Amino acid sequence: MLYIIGLGLSDEKDVTIKGFEAIKSCERVYLEAYTSILMVSKEKLEEFYGKELILADREMVESQSDEILLNADKKNVAFLVVGDPFGATTHADLIIRAKELSIPIQTIHNASIMNAVGACGLQLYNFGQTISIPFFTDNWRPDSFYDRIKENRNLGLHTLCLLDIKVKEQSIENLARGKKIYEPPRYMNVNQAIEQLLEIEEQRKENAYTSETLAIGIARLGSLTEQLIKAECTS
C-alpha cells in the first residue's frame, strides 16, 4: 500500500490518529520537503513517529518517483505531505503514477491552509482562485497572479495568496552547468509579497488593488505563535 498522509499545519502532533497508525506500519517513510514545511525539525518528527524519514525534494518527487513507489505493491510505503495531500498538483501526479503501476493507495487527509485560512474571519465560501506569489529575480518577474486577483475582486471574492519558499534550489548558473550546488533556504515574508504586488499594479495600472486595499497577513497558522495582522508595507 502507498499511503499519502497529510501532516497538518504546525508540528509533529498534528498528524491524525489514522495517519500515525499508517506511518507506524510502513517500511519506508518519505517526507515531502519543498512545497511547504512544518515548524519542527525532521529529527523531531522521527522521534515522535519512531521511524526514519527520507527527505523527498522536488527532484526526487518529480523525476525519481519510481524510487518512492519501489515495491509499494508488496510493502507499506508512506509519503508525508505538510497540510493536506492534495494541496499541490505534484502529489496528484505521484498518485497517478502509482495507479498506473496498480499499487493500492490510501489517502489520509488533514488540515491545510486552504481551509484553515477561515481563521482570519472571512467566509471560505467567499474565496476565489488561490494564487502563488513567486520570488522575483532580476530577469524573471512574472505577473500571471495579477489576472487571477483581478478576476476574484471583480466577482467580489477574496484571494488566498501563497508565498514562495525556496528549499534546496539551484541557481540558474549552477543548473545550467549541472553543478549540484544549492542555494540557502529562503522564505518570502508578507512585506516582500506586498512590494511585488504593488510593483505589478504599478506596471499594469488596471486597479486590481491599490496600496490602500485591505490585506491580512497570516504566519504560522495553527501553531501557538500564529499571527494574523492587517498587512502593510513598511519598507
Side-chain angles (χ1 to χ4, degrees):
M1 176 77 73
L2 173 66
Y3 289 98
I4 312 291
I5 303 172
L7 297 182
L9 291 169
S10 180
D11 58 32
E12 74 278 11
K13 294 182 180 179
D14 279 352
V15 68
T16 64
I17 294 174
K18 183 183 291 185
F20 182 77
E21 291 176 346
I23 292 169
K24 300 292 281 187
S25 76
C26 288
E27 187 162 311
R28 300 196 313 277
V29 181
Y30 295 89
L31 174 64
E32 189 266 86
Y34 67 92
T35 61
S36 189
I37 56 170
L38 283 180
M39 287 167 243
V40 292
S41 67
K42 168 177 172 284
E43 290 72 25
K44 187 76 172 178
L45 294 175
E46 289 177 328
E47 179 184 356
F48 186 76
Y49 300 148
K51 290 283 184 178
E52 178 183 354
L53 303 185
I54 304 166
L55 286 180
D57 59 16
R58 183 186 300 274
E59 182 179 356
M60 174 180 283
V61 177
E62 295 183 351
S63 304
Q64 302 169 17
S65 59
D66 288 346
E67 181 177 334
I68 298 172
L69 299 175
L70 181 66
N71 295 327
D73 57 335
K74 302 178 181 68
K75 302 174 182 179
N76 285 344
V77 176
F79 183 74
L80 311 183
V81 180
V82 176
D84 187 79
F86 289 106
T89 54
T90 298
H91 311 135
D93 185 66
L94 181 66
I95 290 171
I96 291 170
R97 286 280 299 118
K99 288 184 176 180
E100 290 173 347
L101 296 171
S102 299
I103 295 172
I105 301 163
Q106 183 175 351
T107 302
I108 301 175
H109 296 280
N110 209 320
S112 79
I113 188 60
M114 303 294 284
N115 52 42
V117 69
C120 73
L122 301 176
Q123 289 291 328
L124 291 179
Y125 292 118
N126 293 330
F127 276 83
Q129 303 170 83
T130 297
I131 62 101
S132 296
I133 302 178
F135 278 112
F136 285 175
T137 68
D138 292 339
N139 303 314
W140 189 67
R141 308 178 93 75
D143 64 355
S144 58
F145 57 78
Y146 183 90
D147 296 307
R148 306 290 83 76
I149 295 174
K150 184 179 178 181
E151 290 168 6
N152 287 343
R153 295 208 75 198
N154 287 341
L155 292 170
L157 301 174
H158 314 304
T159 303
L160 173 61
C161 304
L162 306 177
L163 308 190
D164 200 5
I165 67 172
K166 297 291 186 186
V167 180
K168 201 178 179 182
E169 297 276 343
Q170 293 177 267
S171 67
I172 299 297
E173 180 180 324
N174 286 328
L175 190 63
R177 294 181 178 180
K179 294 183 178 180
K180 294 287 186 179
I181 300 174
Y182 299 99
E183 301 293 294
R186 290 189 295 153
Y187 309 94
M188 183 181 291
N189 62 40
V190 173
N191 263 19
Q192 289 173 302
I194 292 173
E195 290 168 0
Q196 293 188 184
L197 285 167
L198 292 177
E199 177 181 324
I200 298 303
E201 175 58 46
E202 179 63 25
Q203 294 173 5
R204 298 281 292 267
K205 298 184 184 301
E206 297 173 27
N207 203 36
Y209 46 81
T210 72
S211 59
E212 302 301 317
T213 300
L214 175 64
I216 300 171
I218 301 174
R220 302 182 298 281
L221 188 59
S223 76
L224 294 175
T225 62
E226 69 179 22
Q227 294 287 313
L228 292 88
I229 59 171
K230 179 181 177 181
E232 298 176 327
C233 185
T234 59
S235 62

